[in-house]
Amino acid sequence: GAVVSQHPSWVICKSGTSVKIECRSLDFQATTMFWYRQFPKQSLMLMATSNEGSKATYEQGVEKDKFLINHASLTLSTLTVTSAHPEDSSFYICSAIAGGYTDTQYFGPGTRLTVL
Amino acid sequence: GENVEQHPSTLSVQEGDSAVIKCTYSDSASNYFPWYKQELGKGPQLIIDIRSNVGEKKDQRIAVTLNKTAKHFSLHITETQPEDSAVYFCAATAVNTGFQKLVFGTGTRLLVSP
């Protein structure tokens, strides 16, 4: 149980284009999902927290107009990187927690974004 | 806000030896401490977690200890195997309004040599 998937697993795009990454909880309903970014050999950095049916909460320094998050259902959250640039190249990972009061975050397999 | 420090950054052991990774946290209100294992190119995998009402938890070869007074917690892996080689992250909750946001340590690269 507690499986989280991401799609795509990797993507290469041209500078200036937008890329959408999907995060799905496969066997549970996720009231809250988190989006992280991880640069090589570094730790996970939280970008934003999304709750189903409401606007995402972004961490300080994360541009909300550049990283659009939609949590339209209890099993799906999407992250859209708009007007991507080479510095946006990174490993993007989502996590999800089930409904109710719980702390356990289950992570997806990550999406490798390369912007040329 | 919460700050989590993790040591060592790299750890090399021989197969069969024990490995210990230590973390300290700053926010005394933190109450949940998970450990994640991340293999190259993959997402973090929860391997064990502990809550503040417990001092120790064990799951086969893996154990975690928590010292609330000193605000530190440790991961212990016994009888290490080559497949234990990975990056391990500790984390602590950053208590916030309504959401349990995790703050991660900087990671420990564990290498188990056959």
Side-chain angles (χ1 to χ4, degrees):
Chain A
V3 178
V4 177
S5 70
Q6 280 184 243
H7 179 79
S9 56
W10 60 270
V11 56
I12 301 173
C13 69
K14 294 182 178 180
S15 184
T17 61
S18 295
V19 174
K20 179 183 284 188
I21 302 170
E22 294 186 348
C23 176
R24 293 181 183 273
S25 56
L26 299 185
D27 53 0
F28 66 100
Q29 293 185 328
T31 54
T32 302
M33 289 183 169
F34 302 87
W35 286 96
Y36 295 84
R37 182 166 52 182
Q38 185 178 37
F39 292 107
K41 297 186 178 181
Q42 292 189 20
S43 188
L44 288 79
M45 293 182 59
L46 180 65
M47 299 175 65
T49 304
S50 75
N51 287 282
E52 184 266 338
S54 62
K55 290 183 178 180
T57 303
Y58 291 82
E59 294 299 300
Q60 191 173 6
V62 178
E63 301 174 57
K64 61 180 181 180
D65 294 331
K66 181 170 182 62
F67 298 99
L68 302 179
I69 293 172
N70 186 291
H71 194 159
S73 77
L74 286 172
T75 60
L76 174 64
S77 176
T78 60
L79 168 68
T80 301
V81 183
T82 62
S83 187
H85 292 285
E87 56 265 31
D88 297 323
S89 299
S90 188
F91 194 49
Y92 292 86
I93 314 171
C94 71
S95 70
I97 60 175
Y101 183 78
T102 177
D103 306 314
T104 305
Q105 287 189 32
Y106 298 97
F107 284 81
T111 297
R112 173 74 58 192
L113 170 63
T114 302
V115 184
L116 303 176
Chain B
E2 175 70 281
N3 182 51
V4 177
E5 295 187 356
Q6 183 171 348
H7 300 280
S9 56
T10 58
L11 180 59
S12 295
V13 300
Q14 291 292 120
E15 183 177 2
D17 289 348
S18 295
V20 180
I21 303 171
K22 299 181 179 181
C23 288
T24 60
Y25 61 98
S26 60
D27 189 347
S28 57
S30 290
N31 56 9
Y32 176 63
F33 309 91
W35 285 88
Y36 289 89
K37 174 184 180 182
Q38 186 178 29
E39 298 178 340
L40 188 62
K42 297 184 179 180
Q45 176 189 5
L46 179 69
I47 57 172
I48 196 166
D49 56 13
I50 191 168
R51 299 182 188 278
S52 58
N53 59 345
V54 176
E56 183 176 359
K57 183 177 179 180
K58 189 175 182 180
D59 183 4
Q60 299 182 341
R61 297 187 297 111
I62 296 174
V64 57
T65 58
L66 171 64
N67 183 326
K68 288 192 299 180
T69 303
K71 288 189 284 188
H72 67 70
F73 56 113
S74 300
L75 176 71
H76 304 254
I77 306 175
T78 58
E79 301 174 27
T80 55
Q81 302 168 1
E83 49 265 39
D84 294 329
S85 296
V87 179
Y88 292 80
F89 291 98
C90 63
T93 53
V95 178
N96 203 345
T97 53
F99 309 126
Q100 295 295 334
K101 296 197 298 184
L102 292 176
V103 176
F104 283 85
T106 50
T108 296
R109 186 171 301 276
L110 175 64
L111 177 61
V112 181
S113 301

